[in-house]
Amino acid sequence: MLSTLKKLSLTVAMTTLLSIPAWAGELVINYDGSDPAPKKAFEEVIQKFETANPDIKVKWNIFDHEGYKTSIRNFLTANPPDVFSWYAANRMAPFVKAGLVEDVTDLWEKEGLNDAMASAADAMTIDSKKWGVPYTYYQWGIYYRKDLFDKHGIAVPTKWDEFLAACAKLKENGITPIAIGTKQTWTTGGVFDYINMRVNGYEVHKDLTAGKIKYTDPQIQKTFDHWDQLVKPGYFLENHATFTWQEALAPMVQGKAAMYIMGNFAVAPLKEAGLTNDQLGFFQFPEITPNIEQAEDAPTDTFHISSKAKNKEDARKFLAFLASPDVQTSVNKTLGQLPINKNASVDDDPFIKAGFEMLSKTKYLGQFYDRDADAEMAKAGMDGFQEYMIKPERREAILKQLDKVQEKVNSKQGS
Amino acid sequence: MTSSTNTQKTFWQRHRLTLTPWLFLLPGLVMFLLYVILPIFQSILISFYEWDGLTVAKYIGLANYHELWQDDAFYTSLKNNLIWLILYMLAIPAGLTIALFLNQTVFGIRLYKSLFFFPFVISQVVVGLVFAWFYDPSNGILAVIYQAFGGKPPAILADERYVTYGIIAAGLWPQIAYCMILYLTGLNNVAPEQIEAARLDGAKGFRMLWHVILPQLRPATFIAIVVTVIGALRSFDLISIMTQGGPYGSSRVLAYYMYETALSEYGYRMGYGAAIAVVLFLIMMVYISFFLWRMYQQEK
């Protein structure tokens, strides 16, 4: 019965997908960049690739960004494209473990990517094999209103105490220190990642997301002690659970809030809403425990070959093309993000440059809470973080609940 | 002569009368079997498996149900389902009141009727969005009203205490319109002679409504209860639009929790989702069987 169900869902998926079966010389690519910038960047890549390889005809399907996360499960099993876009680290693990992704370790060796993309090698590796090629990533950190900081005589904080003092001063002057919208709970993951990486360092953070450390561990408690110092005085935007992250940008644009802990993709909407480079700035999340090795969140977007691809030869060509310094430079210029290949060059944009400088000094790159942790754990974790940010007094109960979920997830993976 | 033509009649000619209705029903029956009956049994079957939709499903017996039994989120959803079920019933008296109020002949009554029916015509997604803006604690109309009286507006959709009620209020708006239209058509069929006779006997006001009009509205009430209960149990779109089950899962109902565990971005536990679906199915079954039984009893 299960197999009939599978077959049924396959048929449905096949009829809904627009792609037609590939023949030799045709390369089918599924891509999730439905927003204007990613779409444009991708169109440029395809054009260049076809010019460089006149015998290959690329057939590409662009999916809605959110819808893609669901449809990938259908098309990978039912009607696999040759190449598909996805994310690094634990996010690709279910597909790798189900045998749906092609091992491209050979490509990494042949193209010298182990050296050129060393910073992302770890995130692309599962069971000491490489499973895809990264094409872009972006920094996380704190975006802030320079003009508000100047007006109230606040310098850019580099230490935790300075950061708390800045928050206190902003609050005194009737400005919300940190804007955040937690209607989609993933935004809380960024705050947690940073406080935890700054308090305990990358290794502890990695062990936590891998399920080796409990959430009630004293080290993680210390993370929450620091988070308390932001939550209890009310430094975050009020009623943040009502807003999506985009809606929470509004108070920042209106000058009612001064900082936003976010990824670089927040810059585009902030500027569209009217902020200029004179008003908007970026700084690294401040240091908490002194002399801890620097770690940052830098989610990496990737391309993979499906194991059932019909045209693996051309798919490898495409991945190699995508990994080359020139292509990485031009793609990321259009995307407004950072190239992975260390021989690529970055755009002039001040935020990109700031991100590039910061990340080039960084030893460890986290992918983001919901890409590093197991999916079920991530969902429970981010729900818990949101609850904690609204009801900080429930911290103990929440952390115990997270331990329970972690135990369940661990026992499943062990079996 | 006639007897020979009788024996020459084909199978189709002999059974035309019995076969024709079945042939007309066939497309509908096939669809119903394929898309309703079959999935019910498949869901029950999947609920005994651990399956992520990619790898081979693993039989785990009742483990999904055992986990459900200890799952706090499940009980939150169940409790919210119950609140939905009870409060949604308000749509029936409210719809009846509006229908009685609108059941008169004055100038422009057709326009008023259509205006009252309007919320049922627009999509639930739009209703959800409109109410979400309405509740917005910084710019929403509710905030404006509170501020006019010098109060501090509550963040209805971000507060675990109010969130479910806030969403139900949004859901009641179109549901009341639905019940109203059912009663309006029902009122058209009320026999004027009976009202006349009751009036001669001196009945008016509430007594008239209770003893003369309401009994005649029985079929309308029956349909109104059925659609309201089903509407409450399958409440999903409003929750998805207004809160996505949040804050921290406190506005989930079973239908939404099932979607979240089986199909959302962090889910893909098909077996667990199916187990929730089975529980929801059983709850609906209890109610529907009770109703069918009562109908059967009354007809006897």
Side-chain angles (χ1 to χ4, degrees):
Chain A
M1 193 96 159
L2 263 186
S3 68
T4 36
L5 176 91
K6 247 185 174 172
K7 269 182 213 151
L8 252 180
S9 60
L10 301 195
T11 344
V12 174
M14 270 196 260
T15 45
T16 47
L17 278 179
L18 296 167
S19 53
I20 48 165
W23 55 86
E26 190 185 62
L27 187 67
V28 181
I29 304 176
N30 286 2
Y31 178 60
D32 68 337
S34 49
D35 292 329
K39 199 171 164 187
K40 187 160 164 258
F42 190 60
E43 278 168 0
E44 287 168 5
V45 172
I46 302 289
Q47 214 174 18
K48 278 186 197 161
F49 181 68
E50 281 186 330
T51 323
N53 301 278
D55 55 323
I56 303 173
K57 174 98 190 66
V58 175
K59 182 165 182 345
W60 44 287
N61 310 300
I62 288 197
F63 288 70
D64 166 68
H65 187 71
E66 294 301 316
Y68 189 82
K69 293 168 184 169
T70 319
S71 30
I72 187 172
R73 295 184 163 248
N74 293 334
F75 69 64
L76 275 189
T77 46
N79 189 16
D82 298 307
V83 174
F84 63 97
S85 63
W86 194 236
Y87 314 108
N90 220 337
R91 236 7 202 335
M92 65 178 183
F95 304 113
V96 170
K97 285 180 184 148
L100 296 167
V101 186
E102 174 87 352
D103 172 11
V104 291
T105 317
D106 56 317
L107 188 83
W108 277 68
E109 271 158 24
K110 203 177 119 207
E111 303 290 328
L113 302 182
N114 287 321
D115 175 52
M117 295 189 171
S119 64
D122 190 36
M124 300 309 299
T125 307
I126 292 176
D127 297 334
S128 50
K129 287 178 192 143
K130 306 282 192 305
W131 298 98
V133 162
Y135 66 100
T136 185
Y137 72 153
Y138 51 89
Q139 82 267 23
W140 270 67
I142 300 181
Y143 294 85
Y144 75 109
R145 284 287 299 263
K146 279 186 199 165
D147 48 342
L148 293 179
F149 271 48
D150 288 345
K151 190 175 155 200
H152 299 290
I154 302 166
V156 168
T158 55
K159 304 265 186 306
W160 183 250
D161 290 340
E162 294 167 11
F163 182 62
L164 290 179
C167 287
K169 186 126 192 208
L170 286 164
K171 179 104 184 160
E172 263 169 43
N173 288 292
I175 297 170
T176 302
I178 309 166
I180 188 170
T182 63
K183 187 175 177 184
Q184 292 135 342
T185 51
W186 60 262
T187 51
T188 60
V191 181
F192 173 76
D193 275 357
Y194 268 106
I195 302 179
N196 197 35
M197 287 193 297
R198 291 288 185 271
V199 170
N200 293 315
Y202 181 73
E203 293 297 332
V204 172
H205 186 66
K206 198 181 171 189
D207 284 350
L208 178 82
T209 50
K212 291 176 196 157
I213 294 182
K214 279 178 177 293
Y215 282 81
T216 46
D217 187 279
Q219 290 170 294
I220 309 302
Q221 292 282 12
K222 215 170 129 197
T223 301
F224 277 85
D225 290 340
H226 284 84
W227 204 345
D228 268 349
Q229 294 168 8
L230 299 178
V231 171
K232 288 195 171 155
Y235 289 162
F236 287 102
L237 184 66
E238 218 184 358
N239 300 323
H240 49 76
T242 345
F243 308 116
T244 62
W245 73 266
Q246 291 101 328
E247 285 164 346
L249 294 172
M252 178 122 165
V253 174
Q254 292 157 358
K256 291 179 191 163
M259 294 184 275
Y260 208 129
I261 303 172
M262 251 300 146
N264 200 51
F265 51 82
V267 172
L270 281 172
K271 282 193 180 165
E272 265 162 41
L275 293 185
T276 61
N277 281 350
D278 294 332
Q279 291 169 298
L280 190 64
F282 171 80
F283 65 87
Q284 190 179 16
F285 197 94
E287 176 188 277
I288 298 179
T289 307
N291 303 324
I292 216 161
E293 287 222 76
Q294 188 179 322
E296 302 290 336
D297 263 348
T300 307
D301 293 349
T302 53
F303 271 102
H304 309 263
I305 303 176
S306 37
S307 58
K308 295 180 201 156
K310 295 187 183 74
N311 192 353
K312 287 185 185 170
E313 196 189 322
D314 289 342
R316 280 194 158 73
K317 265 189 208 161
F318 181 75
L319 256 56
F321 179 76
L322 205 62
S324 64
D326 292 351
V327 176
Q328 294 234 329
T329 304
S330 67
V331 167
N332 284 291
K333 197 170 171 166
T334 315
L335 281 175
Q337 294 183 1
L338 293 164
I340 315 263
N341 193 313
K342 68 174 185 187
N343 303 316
S345 50
V346 288
D347 200 26
D348 277 344
D349 179 88
F351 296 96
I352 310 259
K353 268 162 85 185
F356 182 74
E357 262 166 46
M358 179 177 88
L359 292 177
S360 56
K361 280 181 263 165
T362 301
K363 176 141 190 215
Y364 299 109
L365 293 182
Q367 285 301 316
F368 196 74
Y369 185 73
D370 73 345
R371 296 188 191 182
D372 288 325
D374 171 89
E376 197 185 349
M377 185 66 241
K379 168 80 185 138
M382 296 182 312
D383 270 358
F385 299 155
Q386 187 201 31
E387 182 170 5
Y388 160 75
M389 286 182 70
I390 297 170
K391 308 262 177 198
E393 68 275 9
R394 291 191 194 158
R395 174 174 140 183
E396 287 311 311
I398 294 167
L399 292 179
K400 272 188 195 131
Q401 169 65 23
L402 293 187
D403 274 355
K404 213 170 112 184
V405 177
Q406 193 188 50
E407 225 166 86
K408 200 169 78 188
V409 169
N410 280 348
S411 71
K412 247 176 227 153
Q413 282 172 346
S415 67
Chain B
M1 192 70 196
T2 44
S3 67
S4 70
T5 46
N6 246 346
T7 49
Q8 276 166 8
K9 267 188 179 171
T10 57
F11 177 81
W12 167 244
Q13 281 168 329
R14 269 178 288 134
H15 298 278
R16 188 150 52 181
L17 275 182
T18 40
L19 282 179
T20 312
W22 286 106
L23 277 176
F24 279 116
L25 281 173
L26 194 67
L29 281 178
V30 169
M31 291 288 171
F32 190 70
L33 268 175
L34 196 65
Y35 292 112
V36 179
I37 305 295
L38 196 68
I40 290 177
F41 289 101
Q42 282 180 330
S43 297
I44 295 173
L45 194 80
I46 294 174
S47 72
F48 300 120
Y49 284 85
E50 174 89 53
W51 186 39
D52 64 358
L54 291 174
T55 44
V56 181
K58 194 173 95 192
Y59 181 79
I60 50 168
L62 288 172
N64 280 326
Y65 292 94
H66 185 74
E67 190 183 331
L68 210 56
W69 186 254
Q70 299 167 329
D71 186 351
D72 293 337
F74 171 69
Y75 289 106
T76 311
S77 316
L78 200 63
K79 191 190 93 195
N80 283 337
N81 252 134
L82 219 67
I83 299 176
W84 269 87
L85 210 51
I86 295 165
L87 288 184
Y88 233 49
M89 285 299 156
L90 287 176
I92 295 165
L96 176 65
T97 314
I98 297 175
L100 289 170
F101 177 67
L102 287 179
N103 190 40
Q104 45 188 315
T105 39
V106 290
F107 176 72
I109 192 72
R110 274 162 203 259
L111 177 71
Y112 300 135
K113 279 184 188 171
S114 21
L115 285 180
F116 272 94
F117 189 56
F118 179 68
F120 185 69
V121 179
I122 55 179
S123 155
Q124 294 260 311
V125 175
V126 178
V127 173
L129 278 176
V130 168
F131 269 75
W133 291 330
F134 177 72
Y135 292 143
D136 182 329
S138 46
N139 305 309
I141 192 166
L142 197 71
V144 174
I145 296 170
Y146 264 81
Q147 276 151 9
F149 291 99
K152 196 170 166 302
I156 292 192
L157 297 182
D159 192 314
E160 56 177 16
R161 287 170 300 174
Y162 310 132
V163 62
T164 299
Y165 302 102
I167 303 173
I168 293 174
L172 275 175
W173 189 44
Q175 193 65 32
I176 287 174
Y178 195 7
C179 292
M180 178 202 80
I181 211 81
L182 290 171
Y183 278 119
L184 270 177
T185 46
L187 283 169
N188 276 339
N189 297 329
V190 170
E193 309 86 42
Q194 287 193 23
I195 294 178
E196 202 58 35
R199 199 163 280 154
L200 286 176
D201 287 341
K204 55 186 172 190
F206 186 73
R207 284 172 68 90
M208 170 80 107
L209 175 70
W210 190 255
H211 294 290
V212 181
I213 298 183
L214 274 188
Q216 294 191 61
L217 286 177
R218 225 184 167 133
T221 310
F222 174 73
I223 299 289
I225 292 178
V226 171
V227 296
T228 306
V229 167
I230 291 174
L233 283 177
R234 63 171 207 186
S235 49
F236 172 86
D237 17 23
L238 284 173
I239 294 168
S240 173
I241 289 295
M242 294 173 78
T243 62
Q244 300 179 337
Y248 42 89
S250 45
S251 66
R252 281 189 197 118
V253 293
L254 287 177
Y256 192 79
Y257 190 41
M258 171 190 76
Y259 160 79
E260 224 177 54
T261 47
L263 299 166
S264 79
E265 194 182 339
Y266 303 107
Y268 294 107
R269 300 186 59 207
M270 299 296 177
Y272 198 57
I276 300 169
V278 169
V279 172
L280 188 60
F281 171 71
L282 290 177
I283 295 172
M284 286 209 193
M285 269 315 266
V286 166
Y287 155 77
I288 291 169
S289 330
F290 169 75
F291 238 86
L292 286 178
W293 175 78
R294 249 193 64 182
M295 236 170 69
Y296 178 70
Q297 292 291 322
Q298 277 171 357
E299 300 215 336
K300 253 199 333 201

